[in-house]
mmCIF file of all heavy atoms in Angstrom:
data_model
loop_
_atom_site.group_PDB
_atom_site.id
_atom_site.type_symbol
_atom_site.label_atom_id
_atom_site.label_comp_id
_atom_site.label_asym_id
_atom_site.label_seq_id
_atom_site.Cartn_x
_atom_site.Cartn_y
_atom_site.Cartn_z
ATOM 1 N N VAL A 1 6.526 -6.161 9.034
ATOM 2 C CA VAL A 1 5.127 -6.444 9.339
ATOM 3 C C VAL A 1 4.330 -6.573 8.047
ATOM 4 O O VAL A 1 4.685 -6.004 7.024
ATOM 5 C CB VAL A 1 4.475 -5.362 10.235
ATOM 6 C CG1 VAL A 1 5.159 -5.296 11.577
ATOM 7 C CG2 VAL A 1 4.480 -4.012 9.568
ATOM 8 N N GLU A 2 3.270 -7.354 8.130
ATOM 9 C CA GLU A 2 2.280 -7.443 7.053
ATOM 10 C C GLU A 2 0.998 -6.840 7.600
ATOM 11 O O GLU A 2 0.649 -7.082 8.754
ATOM 12 C CB GLU A 2 1.990 -8.891 6.689
ATOM 13 C CG GLU A 2 3.140 -9.688 6.167
ATOM 14 C CD GLU A 2 2.721 -11.139 6.003
ATOM 15 O OE1 GLU A 2 1.720 -11.401 5.307
ATOM 16 O OE2 GLU A 2 3.384 -12.005 6.599
ATOM 17 N N THR A 3 0.293 -6.093 6.768
ATOM 18 C CA THR A 3 -0.958 -5.515 7.230
ATOM 19 C C THR A 3 -1.922 -5.309 6.074
ATOM 20 O O THR A 3 -1.512 -5.103 4.942
ATOM 21 C CB THR A 3 -0.727 -4.179 7.973
ATOM 22 O OG1 THR A 3 -1.959 -3.722 8.510
ATOM 23 C CG2 THR A 3 -0.145 -3.119 7.052
ATOM 24 N N SER A 4 -3.186 -5.393 6.408
ATOM 25 C CA SER A 4 -4.223 -5.026 5.443
ATOM 26 C C SER A 4 -4.859 -3.712 5.878
ATOM 27 O O SER A 4 -5.831 -3.263 5.284
ATOM 28 C CB SER A 4 -5.276 -6.130 5.329
ATOM 29 O OG SER A 4 -5.821 -6.423 6.590
ATOM 30 N N SER A 5 -4.301 -3.112 6.935
ATOM 31 C CA SER A 5 -4.789 -1.812 7.413
ATOM 32 C C SER A 5 -4.436 -0.727 6.412
ATOM 33 O O SER A 5 -3.507 -0.859 5.632
ATOM 34 C CB SER A 5 -4.152 -1.466 8.753
ATOM 35 O OG SER A 5 -4.534 -2.383 9.730
ATOM 36 N N ALA A 6 -5.176 0.359 6.506
ATOM 37 C CA ALA A 6 -4.907 1.497 5.635
ATOM 38 C C ALA A 6 -5.349 2.758 6.353
ATOM 39 O O ALA A 6 -5.818 2.715 7.491
ATOM 40 C CB ALA A 6 -5.648 1.338 4.310
ATOM 41 N N GLY A 7 -5.206 3.868 5.677
ATOM 42 C CA GLY A 7 -5.681 5.122 6.226
ATOM 43 C C GLY A 7 -4.953 5.533 7.476
ATOM 44 O O GLY A 7 -3.733 5.472 7.562
ATOM 45 N N LEU A 8 -5.716 5.914 8.486
ATOM 46 C CA LEU A 8 -5.142 6.430 9.723
ATOM 47 C C LEU A 8 -4.358 5.387 10.506
ATOM 48 O O LEU A 8 -3.493 5.735 11.306
ATOM 49 C CB LEU A 8 -6.244 7.004 10.612
ATOM 50 C CG LEU A 8 -6.888 8.286 10.108
ATOM 51 C CD1 LEU A 8 -8.000 8.723 11.051
ATOM 52 C CD2 LEU A 8 -5.861 9.393 9.969
ATOM 53 N N ASP A 9 -4.630 4.108 10.292
ATOM 54 C CA ASP A 9 -3.946 3.059 11.040
ATOM 55 C C ASP A 9 -2.434 3.093 10.856
ATOM 56 O O ASP A 9 -1.689 2.678 11.742
ATOM 57 C CB ASP A 9 -4.475 1.675 10.647
ATOM 58 C CG ASP A 9 -5.915 1.479 11.073
ATOM 59 O OD1 ASP A 9 -6.361 2.164 12.020
ATOM 60 O OD2 ASP A 9 -6.599 0.647 10.455
ATOM 61 N N ILE A 10 -1.967 3.582 9.713
ATOM 62 C CA ILE A 10 -0.524 3.596 9.456
ATOM 63 C C ILE A 10 0.201 4.563 10.381
ATOM 64 O O ILE A 10 1.366 4.357 10.713
ATOM 65 C CB ILE A 10 -0.212 3.912 7.975
ATOM 66 C CG1 ILE A 10 1.273 3.668 7.717
ATOM 67 C CG2 ILE A 10 -0.613 5.320 7.615
ATOM 68 C CD1 ILE A 10 1.687 3.757 6.297
ATOM 69 N N ILE A 11 -0.476 5.599 10.849
ATOM 70 C CA ILE A 11 0.170 6.587 11.711
ATOM 71 C C ILE A 11 0.746 5.931 12.958
ATOM 72 O O ILE A 11 1.821 6.292 13.425
ATOM 73 C CB ILE A 11 -0.813 7.720 12.089
ATOM 74 C CG1 ILE A 11 -1.179 8.529 10.845
ATOM 75 C CG2 ILE A 11 -0.208 8.635 13.144
ATOM 76 C CD1 ILE A 11 -2.260 9.563 11.087
ATOM 77 N N ASP A 12 0.067 4.943 13.503
ATOM 78 C CA ASP A 12 0.533 4.268 14.712
ATOM 79 C C ASP A 12 1.744 3.368 14.470
ATOM 80 O O ASP A 12 2.473 3.053 15.410
ATOM 81 C CB ASP A 12 -0.589 3.424 15.318
ATOM 82 C CG ASP A 12 -1.732 4.272 15.839
ATOM 83 O OD1 ASP A 12 -1.486 5.433 16.218
ATOM 84 O OD2 ASP A 12 -2.875 3.777 15.854
ATOM 85 N N LEU A 13 1.961 2.943 13.235
ATOM 86 C CA LEU A 13 3.071 2.049 12.941
ATOM 87 C C LEU A 13 4.413 2.768 12.803
ATOM 88 O O LEU A 13 5.457 2.185 13.075
ATOM 89 C CB LEU A 13 2.806 1.292 11.634
ATOM 90 C CG LEU A 13 1.637 0.328 11.582
ATOM 91 C CD1 LEU A 13 1.457 -0.204 10.159
ATOM 92 C CD2 LEU A 13 1.846 -0.815 12.559
ATOM 93 N N LEU A 14 4.415 4.021 12.373
ATOM 94 C CA LEU A 14 5.632 4.692 11.927
ATOM 95 C C LEU A 14 6.520 5.328 12.987
ATOM 96 O O LEU A 14 7.739 5.332 12.822
ATOM 97 C CB LEU A 14 5.261 5.745 10.878
ATOM 98 C CG LEU A 14 4.492 5.225 9.667
ATOM 99 C CD1 LEU A 14 4.218 6.357 8.705
ATOM 100 C CD2 LEU A 14 5.225 4.104 8.981
ATOM 101 N N PRO A 15 5.988 5.898 14.057
ATOM 102 C CA PRO A 15 6.885 6.559 15.019
ATOM 103 C C PRO A 15 7.947 5.611 15.589
ATOM 104 O O PRO A 15 7.682 4.428 15.824
ATOM 105 C CB PRO A 15 5.931 7.043 16.117
ATOM 106 C CG PRO A 15 4.629 7.232 15.413
ATOM 107 C CD PRO A 15 4.584 6.097 14.407
ATOM 108 N N GLY A 16 9.149 6.152 15.766
ATOM 109 C CA GLY A 16 10.255 5.373 16.319
ATOM 110 C C GLY A 16 11.175 4.782 15.277
ATOM 111 O O GLY A 16 12.195 4.183 15.613
ATOM 112 N N TYR A 17 10.829 4.942 14.016
ATOM 113 C CA TYR A 17 11.671 4.418 12.937
ATOM 114 C C TYR A 17 12.302 5.564 12.160
ATOM 115 O O TYR A 17 11.691 6.605 11.953
ATOM 116 C CB TYR A 17 10.856 3.523 11.993
ATOM 117 C CG TYR A 17 10.430 2.243 12.653
ATOM 118 C CD1 TYR A 17 9.167 2.126 13.231
ATOM 119 C CD2 TYR A 17 11.298 1.168 12.738
ATOM 120 C CE1 TYR A 17 8.780 0.958 13.869
ATOM 121 C CE2 TYR A 17 10.914 -0.010 13.375
ATOM 122 C CZ TYR A 17 9.658 -0.104 13.938
ATOM 123 O OH TYR A 17 9.278 -1.260 14.573
ATOM 124 N N ASP A 18 13.542 5.346 11.717
ATOM 125 C CA ASP A 18 14.251 6.331 10.908
ATOM 126 C C ASP A 18 13.909 6.184 9.427
ATOM 127 O O ASP A 18 13.902 7.159 8.685
ATOM 128 C CB ASP A 18 15.772 6.160 11.080
ATOM 129 C CG ASP A 18 16.183 6.232 12.538
ATOM 130 O OD1 ASP A 18 15.952 7.284 13.161
ATOM 131 O OD2 ASP A 18 16.705 5.225 13.057
ATOM 132 N N LYS A 19 13.657 4.949 9.037
ATOM 133 C CA LYS A 19 13.411 4.633 7.629
ATOM 134 C C LYS A 19 12.261 3.643 7.545
ATOM 135 O O LYS A 19 12.172 2.717 8.359
ATOM 136 C CB LYS A 19 14.684 4.023 7.035
ATOM 137 C CG LYS A 19 14.634 3.664 5.578
ATOM 138 C CD LYS A 19 15.995 3.109 5.166
ATOM 139 C CE LYS A 19 16.149 2.929 3.699
ATOM 140 N NZ LYS A 19 17.504 2.464 3.347
ATOM 141 N N VAL A 20 11.377 3.858 6.577
ATOM 142 C CA VAL A 20 10.265 2.939 6.351
ATOM 143 C C VAL A 20 10.257 2.547 4.880
ATOM 144 O O VAL A 20 10.379 3.401 3.999
ATOM 145 C CB VAL A 20 8.912 3.581 6.740
ATOM 146 C CG1 VAL A 20 7.761 2.661 6.375
ATOM 147 C CG2 VAL A 20 8.876 3.907 8.224
ATOM 148 N N ILE A 21 10.129 1.253 4.644
ATOM 149 C CA ILE A 21 10.006 0.726 3.282
ATOM 150 C C ILE A 21 8.626 0.087 3.189
ATOM 151 O O ILE A 21 8.294 -0.806 3.967
ATOM 152 C CB ILE A 21 11.111 -0.296 2.962
ATOM 153 C CG1 ILE A 21 12.492 0.371 3.070
ATOM 154 C CG2 ILE A 21 10.893 -0.907 1.574
ATOM 155 C CD1 ILE A 21 13.657 -0.595 2.961
ATOM 156 N N ILE A 22 7.849 0.558 2.239
ATOM 157 C CA ILE A 22 6.480 0.083 2.050
ATOM 158 C C ILE A 22 6.395 -0.675 0.735
ATOM 159 O O ILE A 22 6.921 -0.209 -0.285
ATOM 160 C CB ILE A 22 5.496 1.273 2.048
ATOM 161 C CG1 ILE A 22 5.495 1.934 3.429
ATOM 162 C CG2 ILE A 22 4.101 0.836 1.630
ATOM 163 C CD1 ILE A 22 4.721 3.233 3.495
ATOM 164 N N ILE A 23 5.735 -1.823 0.774
ATOM 165 C CA ILE A 23 5.495 -2.596 -0.450
ATOM 166 C C ILE A 23 3.989 -2.743 -0.595
ATOM 167 O O ILE A 23 3.304 -3.159 0.334
ATOM 168 C CB ILE A 23 6.131 -3.998 -0.398
ATOM 169 C CG1 ILE A 23 7.587 -3.941 0.085
ATOM 170 C CG2 ILE A 23 6.064 -4.654 -1.777
ATOM 171 C CD1 ILE A 23 7.767 -4.415 1.484
ATOM 172 N N ASP A 24 3.483 -2.397 -1.777
ATOM 173 C CA ASP A 24 2.042 -2.468 -1.990
ATOM 174 C C ASP A 24 1.753 -2.687 -3.465
ATOM 175 O O ASP A 24 2.602 -2.450 -4.329
ATOM 176 C CB ASP A 24 1.381 -1.170 -1.514
ATOM 177 C CG ASP A 24 -0.107 -1.320 -1.232
ATOM 178 O OD1 ASP A 24 -0.658 -2.425 -1.418
ATOM 179 O OD2 ASP A 24 -0.723 -0.322 -0.830
ATOM 180 N N ALA A 25 0.542 -3.131 -3.736
ATOM 181 C CA ALA A 25 0.057 -3.259 -5.111
ATOM 182 C C ALA A 25 -0.226 -1.865 -5.653
ATOM 183 O O ALA A 25 -0.625 -0.968 -4.904
ATOM 184 C CB ALA A 25 -1.211 -4.103 -5.136
ATOM 185 N N ILE A 26 -0.011 -1.684 -6.947
ATOM 186 C CA ILE A 26 -0.270 -0.397 -7.582
ATOM 187 C C ILE A 26 -0.832 -0.646 -8.978
ATOM 188 O O ILE A 26 -0.467 -1.621 -9.632
ATOM 189 C CB ILE A 26 1.019 0.464 -7.635
ATOM 190 C CG1 ILE A 26 0.734 1.890 -8.075
ATOM 191 C CG2 ILE A 26 2.058 -0.180 -8.528
ATOM 192 C CD1 ILE A 26 1.915 2.823 -7.938
ATOM 193 N N ILE A 27 -1.730 0.210 -9.387
ATOM 194 C CA ILE A 27 -2.262 0.147 -10.748
ATOM 195 C C ILE A 27 -2.082 1.527 -11.362
ATOM 196 O O ILE A 27 -2.757 2.477 -10.971
ATOM 197 C CB ILE A 27 -3.753 -0.254 -10.772
ATOM 198 C CG1 ILE A 27 -3.945 -1.635 -10.158
ATOM 199 C CG2 ILE A 27 -4.286 -0.225 -12.208
ATOM 200 C CD1 ILE A 27 -5.395 -2.050 -9.997
ATOM 201 N N THR A 28 -1.140 1.631 -12.295
ATOM 202 C CA THR A 28 -0.920 2.910 -12.975
ATOM 203 C C THR A 28 -1.599 2.931 -14.338
ATOM 204 O O THR A 28 -1.866 3.988 -14.870
ATOM 205 C CB THR A 28 0.581 3.189 -13.176
ATOM 206 O OG1 THR A 28 1.118 2.215 -14.088
ATOM 207 C CG2 THR A 28 1.338 3.152 -11.866
ATOM 208 N N GLY A 29 -1.804 1.740 -14.895
ATOM 209 C CA GLY A 29 -2.354 1.661 -16.242
ATOM 210 C C GLY A 29 -1.326 1.984 -17.311
ATOM 211 O O GLY A 29 -1.640 2.025 -18.493
ATOM 212 N N LYS A 30 -0.072 2.203 -16.890
ATOM 213 C CA LYS A 30 0.984 2.586 -17.829
ATOM 214 C C LYS A 30 2.085 1.537 -17.937
ATOM 215 O O LYS A 30 2.949 1.644 -18.792
ATOM 216 C CB LYS A 30 1.612 3.909 -17.397
ATOM 217 C CG LYS A 30 0.632 5.056 -17.379
ATOM 218 C CD LYS A 30 1.282 6.317 -16.855
ATOM 219 C CE LYS A 30 0.256 7.429 -16.748
ATOM 220 N NZ LYS A 30 0.807 8.647 -16.180
ATOM 221 N N SER A 31 2.065 0.552 -17.051
ATOM 222 C CA SER A 31 3.125 -0.451 -17.020
ATOM 223 C C SER A 31 2.530 -1.847 -17.035
ATOM 224 O O SER A 31 1.377 -2.055 -16.681
ATOM 225 C CB SER A 31 3.963 -0.285 -15.751
ATOM 226 O OG SER A 31 4.552 0.982 -15.700
ATOM 227 N N LYS A 32 3.371 -2.804 -17.421
ATOM 228 C CA LYS A 32 2.940 -4.195 -17.451
ATOM 229 C C LYS A 32 2.823 -4.738 -16.033
ATOM 230 O O LYS A 32 3.580 -4.345 -15.146
ATOM 231 C CB LYS A 32 3.961 -5.043 -18.207
ATOM 232 C CG LYS A 32 4.077 -4.737 -19.669
ATOM 233 C CD LYS A 32 5.130 -5.638 -20.286
ATOM 234 C CE LYS A 32 5.352 -5.275 -21.738
ATOM 235 N NZ LYS A 32 6.421 -6.098 -22.336
ATOM 236 N N PRO A 33 1.894 -5.679 -15.810
ATOM 237 C CA PRO A 33 1.830 -6.337 -14.510
ATOM 238 C C PRO A 33 3.190 -6.949 -14.155
ATOM 239 O O PRO A 33 3.861 -7.527 -15.006
ATOM 240 C CB PRO A 33 0.779 -7.422 -14.700
ATOM 241 C CG PRO A 33 -0.100 -6.886 -15.787
ATOM 242 C CD PRO A 33 0.841 -6.146 -16.716
ATOM 243 N N GLY A 34 3.592 -6.771 -12.915
ATOM 244 C CA GLY A 34 4.890 -7.252 -12.455
ATOM 245 C C GLY A 34 5.966 -6.181 -12.466
ATOM 246 O O GLY A 34 7.038 -6.382 -11.902
ATOM 247 N N SER A 35 5.693 -5.049 -13.098
ATOM 248 C CA SER A 35 6.651 -3.936 -13.069
ATOM 249 C C SER A 35 6.730 -3.394 -11.650
ATOM 250 O O SER A 35 5.739 -3.381 -10.921
ATOM 251 C CB SER A 35 6.215 -2.809 -14.006
ATOM 252 O OG SER A 35 6.123 -3.261 -15.338
ATOM 253 N N ILE A 36 7.908 -2.937 -11.266
ATOM 254 C CA ILE A 36 8.099 -2.407 -9.918
ATOM 255 C C ILE A 36 8.413 -0.920 -10.018
ATOM 256 O O ILE A 36 9.296 -0.509 -10.767
ATOM 257 C CB ILE A 36 9.231 -3.150 -9.189
ATOM 258 C CG1 ILE A 36 8.879 -4.638 -9.082
ATOM 259 C CG2 ILE A 36 9.473 -2.537 -7.803
ATOM 260 C CD1 ILE A 36 10.000 -5.497 -8.559
ATOM 261 N N HIS A 37 7.668 -0.133 -9.257
ATOM 262 C CA HIS A 37 7.859 1.319 -9.224
ATOM 263 C C HIS A 37 8.446 1.694 -7.874
ATOM 264 O O HIS A 37 7.912 1.294 -6.837
ATOM 265 C CB HIS A 37 6.517 2.042 -9.403
ATOM 266 C CG HIS A 37 5.778 1.632 -10.631
ATOM 267 N ND1 HIS A 37 6.018 2.182 -11.865
ATOM 268 C CD2 HIS A 37 4.809 0.694 -10.808
ATOM 269 C CE1 HIS A 37 5.214 1.623 -12.753
ATOM 270 N NE2 HIS A 37 4.476 0.711 -12.136
ATOM 271 N N ARG A 38 9.527 2.464 -7.873
ATOM 272 C CA ARG A 38 10.117 2.957 -6.622
ATOM 273 C C ARG A 38 9.707 4.419 -6.477
ATOM 274 O O ARG A 38 9.983 5.248 -7.343
ATOM 275 C CB ARG A 38 11.629 2.847 -6.643
ATOM 276 C CG ARG A 38 12.276 3.263 -5.321
ATOM 277 C CD ARG A 38 13.805 3.312 -5.454
ATOM 278 N NE ARG A 38 14.459 3.568 -4.201
ATOM 279 C CZ ARG A 38 14.551 4.759 -3.619
ATOM 280 N NH1 ARG A 38 13.997 5.832 -4.182
ATOM 281 N NH2 ARG A 38 15.183 4.909 -2.466
ATOM 282 N N LEU A 39 9.041 4.719 -5.382
ATOM 283 C CA LEU A 39 8.548 6.075 -5.132
ATOM 284 C C LEU A 39 9.031 6.547 -3.770
ATOM 285 O O LEU A 39 9.326 5.740 -2.891
ATOM 286 C CB LEU A 39 7.018 6.092 -5.137
ATOM 287 C CG LEU A 39 6.315 5.491 -6.352
ATOM 288 C CD1 LEU A 39 4.848 5.241 -6.044
ATOM 289 C CD2 LEU A 39 6.474 6.422 -7.530
ATOM 290 N N SER A 40 9.077 7.858 -3.607
ATOM 291 C CA SER A 40 9.347 8.409 -2.277
ATOM 292 C C SER A 40 8.064 9.035 -1.759
ATOM 293 O O SER A 40 7.127 9.270 -2.516
ATOM 294 C CB SER A 40 10.455 9.461 -2.345
ATOM 295 O OG SER A 40 9.964 10.648 -2.930
ATOM 296 N N SER A 41 8.036 9.327 -0.475
ATOM 297 C CA SER A 41 6.835 9.930 0.097
ATOM 298 C C SER A 41 6.571 11.310 -0.495
ATOM 299 O O SER A 41 5.444 11.790 -0.488
ATOM 300 C CB SER A 41 6.944 10.019 1.614
ATOM 301 O OG SER A 41 8.065 10.791 1.984
ATOM 302 N N LEU A 42 7.594 11.947 -1.049
ATOM 303 C CA LEU A 42 7.423 13.257 -1.670
ATOM 304 C C LEU A 42 6.589 13.178 -2.944
ATOM 305 O O LEU A 42 6.024 14.172 -3.385
ATOM 306 C CB LEU A 42 8.782 13.886 -1.988
ATOM 307 C CG LEU A 42 9.695 14.129 -0.789
ATOM 308 C CD1 LEU A 42 11.057 14.630 -1.250
ATOM 309 C CD2 LEU A 42 9.059 15.097 0.183
ATOM 310 N N GLU A 43 6.515 11.995 -3.547
ATOM 311 C CA GLU A 43 5.771 11.818 -4.785
ATOM 312 C C GLU A 43 4.297 11.486 -4.551
ATOM 313 O O GLU A 43 3.540 11.342 -5.503
ATOM 314 C CB GLU A 43 6.410 10.703 -5.623
ATOM 315 C CG GLU A 43 7.822 11.062 -6.071
ATOM 316 C CD GLU A 43 8.519 9.897 -6.737
ATOM 317 O OE1 GLU A 43 8.337 9.736 -7.961
ATOM 318 O OE2 GLU A 43 9.233 9.161 -6.034
ATOM 319 N N LEU A 44 3.904 11.376 -3.293
ATOM 320 C CA LEU A 44 2.524 11.043 -2.981
ATOM 321 C C LEU A 44 1.696 12.311 -2.874
ATOM 322 O O LEU A 44 2.134 13.315 -2.332
ATOM 323 C CB LEU A 44 2.443 10.295 -1.654
ATOM 324 C CG LEU A 44 3.202 8.983 -1.587
ATOM 325 C CD1 LEU A 44 3.141 8.432 -0.176
ATOM 326 C CD2 LEU A 44 2.637 7.979 -2.570
ATOM 327 N N ASN A 45 0.496 12.240 -3.390
ATOM 328 C CA ASN A 45 -0.431 13.359 -3.219
ATOM 329 C C ASN A 45 -1.011 13.290 -1.824
ATOM 330 O O ASN A 45 -1.350 12.229 -1.334
ATOM 331 C CB ASN A 45 -1.582 13.270 -4.234
ATOM 332 C CG ASN A 45 -1.096 13.481 -5.639
ATOM 333 O OD1 ASN A 45 -0.146 14.196 -5.874
ATOM 334 N ND2 ASN A 45 -1.756 12.835 -6.593
#
């Protein structure tokens, strides 16, 4: 799926799945544009 939703809307998308892969834009200020960062949900605040 593609979505521009955020926040609480994601809760409705996730139930029923064993694995979720999320792709999103990120700005760390530490890497060049086009760099790809792989994160787990454990790394999210």
Side-chain angles (χ1 to χ4, degrees):
V1 297
E2 298 174 55
T3 185
S4 56
S5 296
L8 290 178
D9 293 336
I10 190 172
I11 294 173
D12 294 332
L13 295 174
L14 304 181
Y17 291 96
D18 305 299
K19 181 179 190 177
V20 175
I21 299 172
I22 295 172
I23 312 105
D24 200 359
I26 190 171
I27 299 174
T28 66
K30 298 176 184 177
S31 300
K32 294 179 185 177
S35 300
I36 300 172
H37 305 276
R38 184 188 186 282
L39 307 165
S40 74
S41 59
L42 299 175
E43 296 172 86
L44 300 174
N45 293 329

